[in-house]
Amino acid sequence: MTEDHTRALARLLAYAAALSLVGVSIAMNVQAGLAKSEFLSGQITWAAASVASDVLKAVSPLLIVWAIARRDVGPAIAGAFVLSVTAGYSLTSALSYSHGSVADASSNRAAQSGAYERAARQYDSAEAALRKLAPSRSVAELDAKIAALFVDPLVDACREINGPVTQRVCPKVAELRAERAIAEEKAKLQTELRSAQAKLDALPPPKVADPATDAVVSVWRLIGEPPTSETVSLWLSLSGVLLVEVGSIFGLLLASGVDVASTKPDDVPSAVNNVPRNEDGAQEPPADTEPEQDQENLDDRVEAHEVETQSTVSAQKRKRGRPARETVTSLEKLKAIARNGKVSATHSALANVLGVSKTTAQRQLRSLEKSGAVRLTAGRRGTLIRLM
């Protein structure tokens, strides 16, 4: 993989991660917004507000950095205000959604575990009671035997024991009836066993209501007295929300930084970009210039012009007792120190060359750039000025 491919992949991954976190934040805040109203119109309103808030939250850092770079105080303050408001709304909404989701999931797992445990207790109870019962024949078989004993009309269903027949038959009927009661209880218990087993098969195995909280509390017990489960759950929700919120706020800003850092401007003269390289990657001087001497001569000309300008201004101050008016324009001063139509110097050096403050120098350069007289490019050693 070439270096350009590596940079392109880094930019792609950075933007993908940033946009993913922004998407997650939007989804969380939309869910929280939908929960704020029971009516469709209110839900749509809150959902739209959540989306707009997250978009502003993501682009505000870019606006602030851009405004600071241009020394524009108004947009920087506005961006900071918008960022604080949108970040606060997004943080509270995401925390509400996250903590509520964890609570709902914990309740569902607790309810499922409770149902499973009840079914298990029902099964165990029926099984234990079934083991205690004496062996018995089936209800149908016992009913048939009792009916056979009642065939003799003298038995009269054992309503009264008043003769040798009833004295002989009715004790047998009583034993059969007792065994039949045991058989009925067995049938009832077996029905309960089948019902409990069906419930156990349908329900998922019991789970911990909040596994993350339970794990943190268990580890904490090894150190000392742990906080309550509710406190641990809240802090776990907050940590996840902070990850999403911080990533969605600064993700695009960091991704744009990767984009800028991985791009080498071809028109910025520097000891790295302006020197050709051979096939092995080693630097070799250009055919018409010497790589180091060219920059050193440019610095010498800037310093010499600074000394000349300062000497002239000092002499005029001594002569007139007040600051002298500029005798040449800023463009002419730049032409005086240009080499091959280019000037590269720091802000301080340019201000000294033009004989003004840094702020005034920047304003004059921007004015020249707007008029098309120069083109400004940010370089590693300051500002690169191309005379047009």
Side-chain angles (χ1 to χ4, degrees), residues 12 29 39 47 50 64 166 201 213 229 242 283 332 349 365 377:
L12 178 63
N29 291 340
F39 302 100
S50 299
I64 295 172
T166 56
D201 294 338
T213 300
S229 299
L242 287 178
Q283 295 180 355
E332 292 172 341
L365 290 176
T377 305

Side-chain angles (χ1 to χ4, degrees), residues 151 201 230 272 277:
V151 171
D201 294 338
E230 290 77 9
V272 175
R277 299 174 181 269

Side-chain angles (χ1 to χ4, degrees), residues 294-304 344-345 381:
D294 180 68
Q295 186 65 35
E296 292 175 357
N297 291 340
L298 182 58
D299 294 340
D300 293 341
R301 292 197 305 278
V302 172
E303 293 178 2
S344 178
R381 300 185 62 180

Side-chain angles (χ1 to χ4, degrees), residues 219-281:
V219 173
W220 207 308
R221 285 196 180 97
L222 301 176
I223 304 173
E225 183 66 23
T228 61
S229 299
E230 290 77 9
T231 303
V232 174
S233 178
L234 179 61
W235 279 106
L236 289 177
S237 299
L238 181 60
S239 63
V241 168
L242 287 178
L243 170 64
V244 174
E245 292 302 308
V246 172
S248 62
I249 291 174
F250 298 106
L252 288 179
L253 181 62
L254 294 177
S256 63
V258 171
D259 197 358
V260 172
S262 62
T263 304
K264 289 184 179 180
D266 296 333
D267 55 349
V268 178
S270 66
V272 175
N273 295 333
N274 210 36
V275 178
R277 299 174 181 269
N278 57 25
E279 295 181 355
D280 297 331

Side-chain angles (χ1 to χ4, degrees), residues 94-145:
L95 184 59
S96 173
Y97 169 76
S98 176
H99 193 57
S101 299
V102 171
D104 291 342
S106 299
S107 299
N108 290 336
R109 284 193 289 264
Q112 291 177 355
S113 298
Y116 189 93
E117 291 174 359
R118 286 192 297 272
R121 287 196 298 269
Q122 179 185 0
Y123 185 91
D124 294 340
S125 176
E127 188 179 35
L130 191 60
R131 285 197 298 265
K132 293 179 180 178
L133 294 177
S136 65
R137 289 165 285 185
S138 66
V139 174
E141 182 181 357
L142 294 172
D143 285 342
K145 288 186 175 294

Side-chain angles (χ1 to χ4, degrees), residues 56-81 83 249-258 260:
L56 288 175
K57 180 190 68 177
V59 301
S60 292
L62 298 175
L63 172 63
I64 295 172
V65 172
W66 173 83
I68 292 175
R70 295 179 62 87
R71 294 185 174 86
D72 290 337
V73 179
I77 294 177
F81 177 76
L83 178 60
I249 291 174
F250 298 106
L252 288 179
L253 181 62
L254 294 177
S256 63
V258 171
V260 172

